[in-house]
Amino acid sequence: MLKGEYGEAMRIAMEIVVKVGEVLGADKLVDISHAHASGVSYGTIGEPGLHWLRELSSKGAKARVYSTVNPIGMDLDDPNKIPVGEQFYKKQMEVLQAFKDMGFEISVTCTPYYLRKPKPFERLSWGESSAVAFANSVLGSFTNREGGPLAVASAITGKTYHAGLQVLENRRTTHLIVHPELDDPVEWSALGYLVGEKVGSGIPRYPKPPQDEESMKLMLAASAASGGIALSVLEKVTPRGTYDIGDEERVEIDEKEIEELFRFNDPELIFHGCPHSNLNELKKINEIIKDKVSREFWIATSPKVFDEALREGIIQSLENKGIKVVKGTCSVVTPIERLGYKRIMTTSAKTYFYLNRKGLEVALVRVRDLWRVVT
Amino acid sequence: MESGNLRCGRRLITSETGRGEVVKIEGRISFLGEVNPKEGKLYDGRSIKGKVLIAEGAKGSTVGAYVIYALKYYGNQPLAIIFEEETDPIVVSGCVMAGITHGDMFGKLDLRDGDVVDVWEEDGKLCLGISKTPP
């Protein structure tokens, strides 16, 4: 394949996988069942990224395994929902077209596990740190945290390198997390954020993890953003045999640290859906918020969940209350700083992390307190 | 490094080889944030176009691979990227995408901006030889 007998696109893709494997000390390549590419927003990859994808596609690159893509920088259907400008819209559609031509499913979501749930021990090549953490920690699948181009190269070759978290011996815990009792999903998200800051890129173990999938998702996304944690061991959740217990350093997080992330900042925008909301979350918010909202409130979700919610009448109900449900995008990949918002409240500590870095004023709000903030 | 000295490291990607001027970064480089691909410059103003870029290693975002590719896209790519210590997957994927010569694990290189070096491949290694140092 490296010699180009399968075509130029395959040669380039194979070279990326092989060289990266070489650097990481891989002994071989392994087959994967699902590639998920990050770096899909035009705002992130720009003109050069678009050019590279187009080149690959024009050289005949085709995904050999089931392959999906991350969210984009605007609403998938309605360019006016988040006004990014005509030029951005046009370029973003070209990026999607290149992926489509290569046989990627235009999933435009950071939650590919809601499209097809990988099994324990299944090998994946996923970009998107929050999805990587969910696959490794909740589902027991094996994936490294891949850069955008590598996941594309894995899609085309159907392979990844056998190193890092693809190797069982490297899935060994390094820290034990001790924390107060938590209740709201956003408190778990705050915990994940603090763990990421303290543990860096280690493998933490939670003896008392959250019991609902939504809280797990929020917590793991936050620790992947603030620290780069790709695997956490959640006691009685992470499938046995997909990890080992190592020498653990004890890390304590107290109530005060968590509470500091929550405060009211008189927001111009409230954001939920990072990672993308599932149907449960949409239903719950629809129940919690009974009246018309008086502040701008966005919820982000995938096209798949959007359509399900549409069939059940939930989208209409949310929109009647003045809530904007955006599809295939989020506040992290959209050029939100250019839209003039300065103060934002969110249910996601991952969003908190990224928007803080963009210089916006951000605070967390509990799901149960949302109605207080928006109405 | 004195005249006539030769240092070899691990070869990862060989594309262009030849003679180039050194641009040296103290510490690790983050391609996202520290390199402007449109201008082919570091944010301190030094040009890296056609130069031999030497740093200790890399750090920073996974978008770095696209920034390295962007250097090539705008015709501003360095002749080679040389790391004294071990490289990272992001830089490797970027250099494969862009076709930029890249080697690592050269050990501490006593070179300065403006030194002129030859870059070539030998016995599966990437080598640097000093050809002349301006006064």
Side-chain angles (χ1 to χ4, degrees), chain A residues 100 131 133 159 171 178 195 245 287 295 311:
Chain A
K100 210 172 184 171
K159 291 180 190 302
R171 301 169 69 93
V178 181
V195 167
I245 307 279
E287 279 165 26
R295 293 176 196 262
R311 280 197 295 276

Side-chain angles (χ1 to χ4, degrees), chain A residues 199-211:
Chain A
V199 171
S201 55
I203 301 179
R205 179 165 66 95
Y206 295 84
K208 290 181 183 167
Q211 296 305 306

Side-chain angles (χ1 to χ4, degrees), chain A residues 148-219:
Chain A
L150 197 122
V152 173
S154 279
I156 295 165
T157 57
K159 291 180 190 302
T160 191
Y161 51 86
H162 188 244
L165 293 178
Q166 294 289 351
V167 180
L168 183 61
E169 289 75 58
N170 297 332
R171 301 169 69 93
R172 197 182 293 266
T173 57
T174 57
H175 294 78
L176 176 72
I177 310 301
V178 181
H179 58 83
E181 293 248 338
L182 301 174
D183 170 32
D184 194 273
V186 191
E187 292 170 356
W188 289 105
S189 188
L191 174 71
Y193 176 84
L194 295 165
V195 167
E197 277 193 333
K198 293 187 185 187
V199 171
S201 55
I203 301 179
R205 179 165 66 95
Y206 295 84
K208 290 181 183 167
Q211 296 305 306
D212 62 295
E213 203 178 283
E214 290 77 30
S215 297
M216 292 175 201
K217 175 176 77 170
L218 282 170
M219 178 179 90

Side-chain angles (χ1 to χ4, degrees), chain A residues 12 15-16 19-20 22-24 38-39 44-45 47-49 51-53 55 146-150 152, chain B residues 10-14 62-63 65-66 69-70 73-74 86-90 92-94 96-98 104:
Chain A
I12 296 169
E15 195 178 2
I16 293 179
K19 292 285 178 185
V20 169
E22 219 174 286
V23 168
L24 297 175
S38 61
T44 316
I45 63 170
E47 201 54 29
H51 182 262
W52 184 69
L53 292 168
E55 280 271 304
E146 305 297 8
L150 197 122
V152 173
Chain B
R10 178 165 67 158
R11 180 198 77 89
L12 292 156
I13 296 112
T14 319
T62 57
V63 183
Y66 282 113
Y69 181 76
Y73 176 79
Y74 293 113
E86 194 169 8
T87 185
D88 79 356
I90 306 304
V92 173
S93 10
V96 172
M97 288 161 75
D104 71 347

